[in-house]
Short mmCIF file of all heavy atoms in Angstrom, two decimals:
data_model
loop_
_atom_site.label_atom_id
_atom_site.label_comp_id
_atom_site.label_asym_id
_atom_site.label_seq_id
_atom_site.Cartn_x
_atom_site.Cartn_y
_atom_site.Cartn_z
N GLN A 1220 55.67 95.35 146.93
CA GLN A 1220 54.83 94.33 147.56
C GLN A 1220 53.58 94.13 146.70
O GLN A 1220 53.47 94.73 145.63
CB GLN A 1220 54.49 94.76 148.99
CG GLN A 1220 55.70 94.93 149.89
CD GLN A 1220 56.52 93.66 150.04
OE1 GLN A 1220 55.99 92.56 150.14
NE2 GLN A 1220 57.84 93.80 150.03
N ALA A 1221 52.64 93.36 147.17
CA ALA A 1221 51.46 93.00 146.36
C ALA A 1221 50.66 94.22 145.90
O ALA A 1221 50.30 94.30 144.74
CB ALA A 1221 50.56 92.05 147.14
N GLY A 1222 50.39 95.18 146.77
CA GLY A 1222 49.54 96.31 146.39
C GLY A 1222 50.17 97.66 146.55
O GLY A 1222 49.54 98.68 146.30
N SER A 1223 51.43 97.70 146.98
CA SER A 1223 52.09 98.99 147.19
C SER A 1223 53.60 98.80 147.15
O SER A 1223 54.10 97.67 147.07
CB SER A 1223 51.68 99.59 148.54
OG SER A 1223 52.18 98.80 149.60
N CYS A 1224 54.31 99.90 147.21
CA CYS A 1224 55.76 99.84 147.24
C CYS A 1224 56.30 100.97 148.12
O CYS A 1224 55.60 101.93 148.42
CB CYS A 1224 56.36 99.93 145.85
SG CYS A 1224 56.04 101.48 144.99
N SER A 1225 57.55 100.82 148.52
CA SER A 1225 58.27 101.87 149.22
C SER A 1225 59.49 102.20 148.38
O SER A 1225 60.08 101.32 147.76
CB SER A 1225 58.74 101.39 150.59
OG SER A 1225 57.66 101.04 151.39
N MET A 1226 59.83 103.48 148.33
CA MET A 1226 61.01 103.90 147.58
C MET A 1226 61.70 105.02 148.33
O MET A 1226 61.07 105.75 149.10
CB MET A 1226 60.62 104.38 146.18
CG MET A 1226 60.20 103.26 145.26
SD MET A 1226 60.00 103.78 143.55
CE MET A 1226 58.33 104.37 143.59
N SER A 1227 62.99 105.14 148.10
CA SER A 1227 63.74 106.28 148.65
C SER A 1227 64.70 106.78 147.59
O SER A 1227 65.12 106.04 146.70
CB SER A 1227 64.50 105.88 149.92
OG SER A 1227 65.56 105.00 149.62
N VAL A 1228 65.03 108.07 147.70
CA VAL A 1228 65.99 108.71 146.81
C VAL A 1228 67.07 109.32 147.69
O VAL A 1228 66.76 109.99 148.68
CB VAL A 1228 65.31 109.82 145.96
CG1 VAL A 1228 66.34 110.59 145.15
CG2 VAL A 1228 64.24 109.24 145.05
N SER A 1229 68.33 109.09 147.32
CA SER A 1229 69.44 109.68 148.07
C SER A 1229 70.64 109.86 147.16
O SER A 1229 70.77 109.16 146.16
CB SER A 1229 69.80 108.80 149.27
OG SER A 1229 70.30 107.55 148.83
N PRO A 1230 71.55 110.78 147.43
CA PRO A 1230 71.42 111.77 148.50
C PRO A 1230 70.57 112.96 148.05
O PRO A 1230 70.50 113.25 146.87
CB PRO A 1230 72.87 112.22 148.73
CG PRO A 1230 73.51 112.10 147.37
CD PRO A 1230 72.82 110.90 146.71
N VAL A 1231 69.95 113.58 149.00
CA VAL A 1231 69.21 114.82 148.76
C VAL A 1231 69.71 115.85 149.75
O VAL A 1231 70.18 115.52 150.82
CB VAL A 1231 67.67 114.64 148.88
CG1 VAL A 1231 67.15 113.75 147.78
CG2 VAL A 1231 67.28 114.09 150.24
N ARG A 1232 69.61 117.11 149.39
CA ARG A 1232 70.11 118.20 150.23
C ARG A 1232 68.99 119.21 150.49
O ARG A 1232 68.15 119.44 149.63
CB ARG A 1232 71.26 118.94 149.54
CG ARG A 1232 72.35 118.07 148.99
CD ARG A 1232 73.36 117.69 150.06
NE ARG A 1232 74.54 117.04 149.51
CZ ARG A 1232 74.63 115.76 149.22
NH1 ARG A 1232 73.61 114.97 149.37
NH2 ARG A 1232 75.76 115.23 148.76
N ASN A 1233 69.01 119.78 151.66
CA ASN A 1233 68.12 120.90 152.00
C ASN A 1233 66.64 120.61 151.73
O ASN A 1233 65.95 121.39 151.09
CB ASN A 1233 68.54 122.16 151.23
CG ASN A 1233 69.97 122.53 151.50
OD1 ASN A 1233 70.43 122.45 152.62
ND2 ASN A 1233 70.69 122.91 150.46
N VAL A 1234 66.17 119.48 152.20
CA VAL A 1234 64.77 119.10 152.01
C VAL A 1234 64.08 119.15 153.36
O VAL A 1234 64.61 118.71 154.37
CB VAL A 1234 64.66 117.68 151.42
CG1 VAL A 1234 63.22 117.26 151.27
CG2 VAL A 1234 65.38 117.61 150.09
N VAL A 1235 62.87 119.71 153.36
CA VAL A 1235 62.08 119.81 154.58
C VAL A 1235 61.21 118.56 154.69
O VAL A 1235 60.59 118.14 153.71
CB VAL A 1235 61.21 121.08 154.57
CG1 VAL A 1235 60.32 121.14 155.80
CG2 VAL A 1235 62.08 122.31 154.47
N ASP A 1236 61.16 117.95 155.87
CA ASP A 1236 60.31 116.79 156.09
C ASP A 1236 58.86 117.17 155.81
O ASP A 1236 58.41 118.24 156.20
CB ASP A 1236 60.46 116.31 157.53
CG ASP A 1236 60.15 114.84 157.70
OD1 ASP A 1236 59.94 114.15 156.69
OD2 ASP A 1236 60.11 114.39 158.86
N ASN A 1237 58.12 116.31 155.12
CA ASN A 1237 56.78 116.65 154.67
C ASN A 1237 55.83 115.46 154.80
O ASN A 1237 55.28 115.00 153.80
CB ASN A 1237 56.85 117.14 153.22
CG ASN A 1237 55.56 117.75 152.75
OD1 ASN A 1237 54.68 118.06 153.53
ND2 ASN A 1237 55.44 117.93 151.46
N PRO A 1238 55.62 114.93 156.03
CA PRO A 1238 54.67 113.83 156.16
C PRO A 1238 53.26 114.31 155.87
O PRO A 1238 52.97 115.47 156.13
CB PRO A 1238 54.82 113.38 157.61
CG PRO A 1238 55.67 114.39 158.28
CD PRO A 1238 56.21 115.35 157.26
N PRO A 1239 52.35 113.56 155.32
CA PRO A 1239 52.48 112.15 154.93
C PRO A 1239 52.95 111.98 153.50
O PRO A 1239 52.95 110.88 152.98
CB PRO A 1239 51.06 111.65 155.08
CG PRO A 1239 50.23 112.81 154.67
CD PRO A 1239 50.98 114.03 155.18
N ILE A 1240 53.37 113.07 152.83
CA ILE A 1240 53.82 112.98 151.45
C ILE A 1240 55.10 112.14 151.36
O ILE A 1240 55.22 111.25 150.54
CB ILE A 1240 54.08 114.39 150.85
CG1 ILE A 1240 52.88 115.32 151.05
CG2 ILE A 1240 54.47 114.28 149.39
CD1 ILE A 1240 51.61 114.88 150.38
N TYR A 1241 56.08 112.46 152.20
CA TYR A 1241 57.32 111.70 152.28
C TYR A 1241 57.98 111.98 153.61
O TYR A 1241 57.54 112.85 154.37
CB TYR A 1241 58.28 112.03 151.13
CG TYR A 1241 58.64 113.50 151.01
CD1 TYR A 1241 59.55 114.09 151.89
CD2 TYR A 1241 58.09 114.29 150.01
CE1 TYR A 1241 59.87 115.43 151.78
CE2 TYR A 1241 58.42 115.63 149.89
CZ TYR A 1241 59.31 116.18 150.78
OH TYR A 1241 59.63 117.51 150.67
N ARG A 1242 59.01 111.24 153.92
CA ARG A 1242 59.79 111.42 155.13
C ARG A 1242 61.23 111.70 154.75
O ARG A 1242 61.75 111.11 153.81
CB ARG A 1242 59.76 110.14 155.97
CG ARG A 1242 58.52 110.01 156.76
CD ARG A 1242 58.95 110.33 158.16
NE ARG A 1242 57.92 110.22 159.13
CZ ARG A 1242 57.51 111.25 159.85
NH1 ARG A 1242 57.98 112.44 159.64
NH2 ARG A 1242 56.64 111.08 160.78
N VAL A 1243 61.89 112.56 155.48
CA VAL A 1243 63.32 112.78 155.30
C VAL A 1243 64.03 112.01 156.40
O VAL A 1243 63.74 112.19 157.58
CB VAL A 1243 63.68 114.28 155.36
CG1 VAL A 1243 65.19 114.47 155.28
CG2 VAL A 1243 62.98 115.04 154.25
N GLU A 1244 64.92 111.12 155.99
CA GLU A 1244 65.72 110.32 156.93
C GLU A 1244 67.18 110.47 156.55
O GLU A 1244 67.64 109.89 155.57
CB GLU A 1244 65.29 108.85 156.88
CG GLU A 1244 63.85 108.63 157.32
CD GLU A 1244 63.39 107.18 157.19
OE1 GLU A 1244 64.17 106.33 156.72
OE2 GLU A 1244 62.24 106.92 157.57
N GLY A 1245 67.89 111.29 157.29
CA GLY A 1245 69.28 111.57 156.95
C GLY A 1245 69.37 112.33 155.65
O GLY A 1245 68.78 113.39 155.49
N ASP A 1246 70.07 111.74 154.67
CA ASP A 1246 70.23 112.41 153.37
C ASP A 1246 69.33 111.78 152.30
O ASP A 1246 69.63 111.85 151.12
CB ASP A 1246 71.69 112.39 152.92
CG ASP A 1246 72.16 110.99 152.52
OD1 ASP A 1246 71.49 110.00 152.88
OD2 ASP A 1246 73.19 110.90 151.84
N ARG A 1247 68.23 111.17 152.72
CA ARG A 1247 67.33 110.56 151.74
C ARG A 1247 65.87 110.90 152.02
O ARG A 1247 65.50 111.16 153.16
CB ARG A 1247 67.53 109.05 151.67
CG ARG A 1247 67.11 108.33 152.93
CD ARG A 1247 67.50 106.86 152.88
NE ARG A 1247 66.93 106.19 154.03
CZ ARG A 1247 66.23 105.08 153.98
NH1 ARG A 1247 66.03 104.49 152.83
NH2 ARG A 1247 65.74 104.55 155.08
N ILE A 1248 65.09 110.91 150.94
CA ILE A 1248 63.64 111.07 151.04
C ILE A 1248 63.04 109.68 150.90
O ILE A 1248 63.43 108.92 150.00
CB ILE A 1248 63.08 111.96 149.92
CG1 ILE A 1248 63.68 113.36 149.98
CG2 ILE A 1248 61.57 112.04 150.01
CD1 ILE A 1248 63.25 114.24 148.82
N VAL A 1249 62.11 109.34 151.78
CA VAL A 1249 61.50 108.01 151.77
C VAL A 1249 59.99 108.12 151.60
O VAL A 1249 59.34 108.94 152.25
CB VAL A 1249 61.81 107.25 153.08
CG1 VAL A 1249 61.21 105.85 153.04
CG2 VAL A 1249 63.30 107.21 153.34
N TRP A 1250 59.45 107.30 150.72
CA TRP A 1250 58.01 107.19 150.53
C TRP A 1250 57.61 105.79 150.94
O TRP A 1250 58.15 104.81 150.42
CB TRP A 1250 57.62 107.39 149.06
CG TRP A 1250 57.82 108.76 148.55
CD1 TRP A 1250 56.88 109.73 148.46
CD2 TRP A 1250 59.01 109.33 148.03
NE1 TRP A 1250 57.41 110.87 147.92
CE2 TRP A 1250 58.73 110.65 147.64
CE3 TRP A 1250 60.32 108.86 147.84
CZ2 TRP A 1250 59.67 111.49 147.09
CZ3 TRP A 1250 61.26 109.69 147.30
CH2 TRP A 1250 60.94 110.99 146.93
N TYR A 1251 56.68 105.69 151.87
CA TYR A 1251 56.16 104.40 152.30
C TYR A 1251 54.76 104.21 151.73
O TYR A 1251 54.03 105.17 151.53
CB TYR A 1251 56.08 104.32 153.83
CG TYR A 1251 57.43 104.39 154.50
CD1 TYR A 1251 57.86 105.56 155.12
CD2 TYR A 1251 58.28 103.30 154.51
CE1 TYR A 1251 59.11 105.62 155.74
CE2 TYR A 1251 59.52 103.35 155.13
CZ TYR A 1251 59.92 104.51 155.74
OH TYR A 1251 61.16 104.57 156.34
N ALA A 1252 54.37 102.97 151.50
CA ALA A 1252 53.00 102.60 151.11
C ALA A 1252 52.50 103.39 149.92
O ALA A 1252 51.42 103.97 149.94
CB ALA A 1252 52.05 102.75 152.30
N LEU A 1253 53.30 103.43 148.86
CA LEU A 1253 52.85 104.04 147.60
C LEU A 1253 51.90 103.06 146.92
O LEU A 1253 52.31 102.00 146.47
CB LEU A 1253 54.04 104.31 146.68
CG LEU A 1253 55.00 105.41 147.11
CD1 LEU A 1253 56.31 105.30 146.33
CD2 LEU A 1253 54.37 106.77 146.89
N LYS A 1254 50.63 103.38 146.91
CA LYS A 1254 49.63 102.52 146.28
C LYS A 1254 49.79 102.60 144.77
O LYS A 1254 50.01 103.66 144.21
CB LYS A 1254 48.21 102.94 146.67
CG LYS A 1254 47.95 102.91 148.16
CD LYS A 1254 47.83 101.50 148.64
CE LYS A 1254 47.45 101.50 150.11
NZ LYS A 1254 47.78 100.28 150.77
N TYR A 1255 49.67 101.47 144.11
CA TYR A 1255 49.87 101.44 142.67
C TYR A 1255 48.85 102.28 141.91
O TYR A 1255 49.15 102.81 140.86
CB TYR A 1255 49.85 100.00 142.16
CG TYR A 1255 50.99 99.18 142.70
CD1 TYR A 1255 50.84 97.83 142.95
CD2 TYR A 1255 52.23 99.75 142.97
CE1 TYR A 1255 51.89 97.07 143.44
CE2 TYR A 1255 53.28 99.01 143.46
CZ TYR A 1255 53.10 97.66 143.69
OH TYR A 1255 54.14 96.92 144.18
N GLU A 1256 47.66 102.43 142.47
CA GLU A 1256 46.65 103.24 141.78
C GLU A 1256 46.84 104.74 142.00
O GLU A 1256 46.10 105.55 141.46
CB GLU A 1256 45.23 102.82 142.19
CG GLU A 1256 44.95 102.87 143.67
CD GLU A 1256 45.30 101.58 144.42
OE1 GLU A 1256 45.88 100.66 143.85
OE2 GLU A 1256 45.00 101.52 145.62
N ASP A 1257 47.84 105.13 142.79
CA ASP A 1257 48.11 106.54 143.06
C ASP A 1257 49.35 106.99 142.28
O ASP A 1257 50.41 107.22 142.84
CB ASP A 1257 48.29 106.76 144.56
CG ASP A 1257 48.37 108.23 144.94
OD1 ASP A 1257 48.21 109.08 144.04
OD2 ASP A 1257 48.58 108.52 146.12
N GLY A 1258 49.20 107.10 140.98
CA GLY A 1258 50.31 107.45 140.11
C GLY A 1258 50.93 108.80 140.41
O GLY A 1258 52.12 109.00 140.17
N ASP A 1259 50.15 109.75 140.94
CA ASP A 1259 50.70 111.07 141.23
C ASP A 1259 51.79 111.00 142.29
O ASP A 1259 52.79 111.72 142.20
CB ASP A 1259 49.60 112.03 141.68
CG ASP A 1259 48.71 112.46 140.53
OD1 ASP A 1259 49.13 112.31 139.36
OD2 ASP A 1259 47.58 112.93 140.80
N ARG A 1260 51.62 110.14 143.29
CA ARG A 1260 52.67 110.02 144.31
C ARG A 1260 53.92 109.37 143.73
O ARG A 1260 55.04 109.73 144.08
CB ARG A 1260 52.16 109.23 145.51
CG ARG A 1260 51.16 110.03 146.34
CD ARG A 1260 50.78 109.35 147.63
NE ARG A 1260 51.92 109.30 148.54
CZ ARG A 1260 52.10 108.32 149.43
NH1 ARG A 1260 51.24 107.34 149.53
NH2 ARG A 1260 53.14 108.34 150.23
N ILE A 1261 53.73 108.41 142.82
CA ILE A 1261 54.89 107.78 142.20
C ILE A 1261 55.60 108.78 141.29
O ILE A 1261 56.84 108.82 141.24
CB ILE A 1261 54.46 106.50 141.45
CG1 ILE A 1261 53.97 105.46 142.48
CG2 ILE A 1261 55.61 105.94 140.61
CD1 ILE A 1261 53.37 104.22 141.90
N LYS A 1262 54.86 109.64 140.61
CA LYS A 1262 55.47 110.70 139.80
C LYS A 1262 56.29 111.64 140.66
O LYS A 1262 57.31 112.17 140.22
CB LYS A 1262 54.40 111.49 139.04
CG LYS A 1262 53.79 110.74 137.89
CD LYS A 1262 52.72 111.58 137.22
CE LYS A 1262 51.97 110.81 136.17
NZ LYS A 1262 50.87 111.60 135.60
N THR A 1263 55.88 111.86 141.90
CA THR A 1263 56.63 112.70 142.83
C THR A 1263 58.01 112.11 143.09
O THR A 1263 59.00 112.84 143.17
CB THR A 1263 55.87 112.88 144.16
OG1 THR A 1263 54.62 113.48 143.89
CG2 THR A 1263 56.64 113.74 145.14
N VAL A 1264 58.09 110.78 143.21
CA VAL A 1264 59.38 110.12 143.40
C VAL A 1264 60.30 110.43 142.21
O VAL A 1264 61.47 110.80 142.39
CB VAL A 1264 59.22 108.60 143.57
CG1 VAL A 1264 60.57 107.92 143.68
CG2 VAL A 1264 58.36 108.27 144.78
N LEU A 1265 59.77 110.30 141.01
CA LEU A 1265 60.56 110.56 139.81
C LEU A 1265 61.00 112.02 139.74
O LEU A 1265 62.14 112.33 139.37
CB LEU A 1265 59.76 110.18 138.56
CG LEU A 1265 59.33 108.71 138.48
CD1 LEU A 1265 58.39 108.50 137.32
CD2 LEU A 1265 60.54 107.80 138.39
N HIS A 1266 60.11 112.93 140.14
CA HIS A 1266 60.43 114.36 140.16
C HIS A 1266 61.57 114.63 141.14
O HIS A 1266 62.53 115.34 140.82
CB HIS A 1266 59.17 115.14 140.54
CG HIS A 1266 59.36 116.60 140.60
ND1 HIS A 1266 59.46 117.39 139.47
CD2 HIS A 1266 59.50 117.44 141.66
CE1 HIS A 1266 59.64 118.65 139.85
NE2 HIS A 1266 59.66 118.70 141.15
#
């Protein structure tokens, strides 16, 4: 979107839900409202 993005990675196994860092929904990890100026959170998605 204009100032942020949402991303998810799937499938993932044995992950503990960790709000507000990310959410576990079924077999995927979801990140909502990743601000573009917060590169560390986007690096977490890549990790």
Side-chain angles (χ1 to χ4, degrees):
Q1220 299 300 321
S1223 67
C1224 63
S1225 299
M1226 288 190 274
S1227 69
V1228 174
S1229 65
V1231 293
R1232 311 277 190 276
N1233 303 319
V1234 178
V1235 177
D1236 205 7
N1237 191 14
I1240 309 298
Y1241 57 76
R1242 279 255 183 242
V1243 176
E1244 297 177 357
D1246 71 343
R1247 66 188 187 130
I1248 299 175
V1249 182
W1250 292 263
Y1251 295 103
L1253 290 164
K1254 302 286 185 201
Y1255 296 147
E1256 56 272 7
D1257 189 4
D1259 287 341
R1260 288 188 67 210
I1261 294 173
K1262 287 179 187 175
T1263 300
V1264 176
L1265 300 172
H1266 180 75

